[in-house]
Amino acid sequence: GNSVTQMEGPVTLSEEAFLTINCTYTATGYPSLFWYVQYPGEGLQLLLKATKADDKGSNKGFEATYRKETTSFHLEKGSVQVSDSAVYFCALGRFGNEKLTFGTGTRLTIIP
Amino acid sequence: GAVVSQHPSWVICKSGTSVKIECRSLDFQATTMFWYRQFPKQSLMLMATSNEGSKATYEQGVEKDKFLINHASLTLSTLTVTSAHPEDSSFYICSARDQRENSPLHFGNGTRLTVT
C-alpha cells in the first residue's frame, strides 16, 4: 500500500537559515505528491504539489521536486522567516482524489 | 478564500457519552466532505467520506456505528462519536472540496477530543 515517511520534528532554525524537510514515499503507480502546511490556529492548506516525475512544485519561496528514482519529495526553502513557523505535512494521492496518504507532520519553529 | 469551519475546537467528555463535531463550508458548497483522525505523532488517517444526501463511505477498520456521519446539506457534515471511550481521544479533522472543478481540498482547524 501507499505510505509516506517524513522527517521527524520538531525542527528549530534561525531566521534566514536554509530549510530542508525530508519526505520519502512508497506507492503503486504514479501518484501526485503534495506538501500541506498548518499555521497555528488554522486548518491545513495546500502549499505546493507535483503531479509527475521531475516536476517541481513551488510556492511562497518553498520548493519540492518529484524524484521518482529516489521516491522523494523533499521540501526546501533558501531563507526561512518567522512567519514560516508551522506544521508541514507531506502527502501523496491522486490529484482530484481525496484519499490522501499523509506523513506524520513536521513542526517547524523559526526563531528571530 | 474558501473556509471550512470546524466546531468545537476542543471537547472533553466522560466515557459513555456521545460527542458531535460539526464541519461547515462557509463560502462554497461541498457535495463531499472527509473526516480524518490523527493520533499523537502519527499521520492523518482518512476515516470516512461524507456524501451529501447519502450514506457515508467508511474506510476499512472504522466502525460506522461508532462514528456516525450525517451530511444533510451542501455545507454541513457532522461526525458523532457514540459511547466514547478514552481510546477515542484523538484529533479529528474534516475537509471539503468545492464542487466546482479543479478546486483544492479545504481543511478545518480540527477538534481535539479528550475522553475521561
Side-chain angles (χ1 to χ4, degrees), chain A residues 4 6-8 87-89 102-106, chain B residues 38 41-43:
Chain A
V4 175
Q6 188 174 339
M7 178 178 178
E8 280 197 33
V87 181
Y88 292 82
F89 293 88
F102 284 89
T104 53
T106 301
Chain B
Q38 185 181 27
K41 297 187 178 181
Q42 295 188 28
S43 304

Side-chain angles (χ1 to χ4, degrees), chain A residues 36 38 41-44 89 96 98-100 102-104, chain B residues 34 36 38 41-44 46 59 97 105 107-109:
Chain A
Y36 281 82
Q38 185 174 28
E42 300 183 18
L44 275 73
F89 293 88
E98 285 74 21
K99 289 199 174 187
L100 297 174
F102 284 89
T104 53
Chain B
F34 307 89
Y36 295 82
Q38 185 181 27
K41 297 187 178 181
Q42 295 188 28
S43 304
L44 277 75
L46 179 65
E59 295 300 301
R97 176 180 292 282
L105 275 178
F107 285 80
N109 289 5

Side-chain angles (χ1 to χ4, degrees), chain A residues 23-75:
Chain A
C23 172
T24 56
Y25 68 91
T26 302
T28 55
Y30 303 95
S32 294
L33 301 173
F34 307 85
W35 276 100
Y36 281 82
V37 59
Q38 185 174 28
Y39 298 105
E42 300 183 18
L44 275 73
Q45 304 171 25
L46 179 64
L47 178 61
L48 53 84
K49 70 179 189 291
T51 57
K52 60 182 187 295
D54 299 326
D55 265 3
K56 177 185 285 188
S58 61
N59 186 23
K60 298 182 180 181
F62 291 89
E63 293 183 339
T65 301
Y66 189 147
R67 301 285 188 200
K68 190 168 174 59
E69 63 277 14
T70 53
T71 61
S72 65
F73 193 55
H74 304 321
L75 182 68

Side-chain angles (χ1 to χ4, degrees), chain B residues 26-60:
Chain B
L26 295 186
D27 55 0
F28 65 95
Q29 293 184 328
T31 52
T32 306
M33 294 185 177
F34 307 89
W35 289 95
Y36 295 82
R37 181 174 182 178
Q38 185 181 27
F39 290 105
K41 297 187 178 181
Q42 295 188 28
S43 304
L44 277 75
M45 301 297 295
L46 179 65
M47 298 174 65
T49 302
S50 170
N51 304 297
E52 187 267 336
S54 65
K55 291 182 179 180
T57 304
Y58 290 81
E59 295 300 301
Q60 191 173 12

